[in-house]
Amino acid sequence: MINADEKITNTPLSSTEQSKLLIFVLLLLPSLFFIVGIIPAIFLIFGLVMMKKNGDFSHIETAARIYKGYLYLAVMGSGLFALYFATTLSLSDRWHRQFEEFILSTALAGIALLYIIFLNILFLSPLRCHAQWVEANGIFSGKTKTPTDTNEVDIIKGERLRTFSVADELIKWAKLKEDGHITEQEFNDARKKLLQR
């Protein structure tokens, strides 16, 4: 999860951190040309979409864990192939071809390990440091999103207010407060809005 030295802040990502994310995406693009790279990218995209939808950073953490697990499987598979080719290298007359396959398997395992390192340094580290900001405002946002006030009292619109006097409306709101249908704060908000018109 989050290291002790990584402090969660509710500030926007700096341009350097946003550049790291862009570099990670650019490094991820070549792997998308192979079918193998599409699957972990889909997990990351799904994690980002779910985080944006629910405002919960744990979706990114889960997507990154799945991404790493997928790459660890690739490392183990490539490593097993490399081990197989290394042990049968001297037993075969085709040692040159098996040596090439050994090198290719080792390179694939190394590339998968590099992608795990890239994920940690270029993707997760900047996002974890700003988890609260990312949850609330998004990754590339520089300004705080203004939350929609769901408690705002909806009073009669301007056109309809002309047919009623402000005093009549205040009496209606006072009655609602007395009967316990609205709170004192809602009454005060409605009164303030009515008197400002």
Side-chain angles (χ1 to χ4, degrees):
M1 294 290 195
I2 299 171
N3 297 335
D5 59 341
E6 291 180 343
K7 196 168 117 182
I8 297 177
T9 61
N10 195 11
T11 58
L13 278 76
S14 68
S15 60
T16 303
E17 292 163 325
Q18 289 176 350
S19 297
K20 286 180 182 181
L21 294 172
L22 180 63
I23 290 169
F24 176 73
V25 170
L26 292 174
L27 289 172
L28 194 61
L29 285 178
S31 72
L32 297 179
F33 291 111
F34 306 104
I35 299 298
V36 176
I38 292 175
I39 295 169
I42 288 172
F43 284 121
L44 288 179
I45 292 169
F46 182 72
L48 290 168
V49 168
M50 292 304 293
M51 187 270 312
K52 182 174 174 102
K53 179 180 177 186
N54 298 328
D56 185 4
F57 191 79
S58 67
H59 291 292
I60 290 180
E61 293 283 355
T62 302
R65 258 194 314 275
I66 294 170
Y67 181 92
K68 286 181 193 178
Y70 187 84
L71 288 177
Y72 281 129
L73 284 175
V75 168
M76 289 182 358
S78 299
L80 288 174
F81 277 118
L83 184 64
Y84 169 75
F85 292 128
T87 57
T88 60
L89 190 59
S90 61
L91 302 175
S92 174
D93 295 332
R94 303 176 314 156
W95 68 272
H96 182 67
R97 175 156 169 83
Q98 285 188 318
F99 181 71
E100 289 174 355
E101 291 170 344
F102 166 76
I103 295 295
L104 179 64
S105 298
T106 306
L108 289 175
I111 289 170
L113 282 173
L114 274 176
Y115 272 105
I116 292 171
I117 293 168
F118 293 154
L119 175 78
N120 286 328
I121 294 172
L122 300 175
F123 183 76
L124 278 177
S125 180
L127 293 180
R128 281 179 178 158
C129 289
H130 300 275
Q132 292 171 347
W133 179 268
V134 170
E135 280 179 351
N137 304 298
I139 296 173
F140 294 104
S141 174
K143 295 180 181 176
T144 309
K145 288 184 181 175
T146 54
T148 55
D149 189 8
T150 56
N151 295 329
E152 186 173 322
V153 179
D154 186 23
I155 60 173
I156 296 175
K157 303 291 183 230
E159 298 100 33
R160 291 184 52 205
L161 188 58
R162 289 184 203 131
T163 61
F164 301 100
S165 73
V166 173
D168 290 337
E169 285 301 309
L170 284 172
I171 292 169
K172 289 177 186 177
W173 282 94
K175 177 75 171 141
L176 287 172
K177 184 183 85 167
E178 286 173 18
D179 293 343
H181 297 295
I182 62 172
T183 64
E184 181 75 30
Q185 181 63 39
E186 290 171 324
F187 172 74
N188 290 334
D189 290 345
R191 183 180 63 182
K192 181 178 175 185
K193 286 185 180 182
L194 285 168
L195 293 175
Q196 286 177 351
R197 291 181 184 232

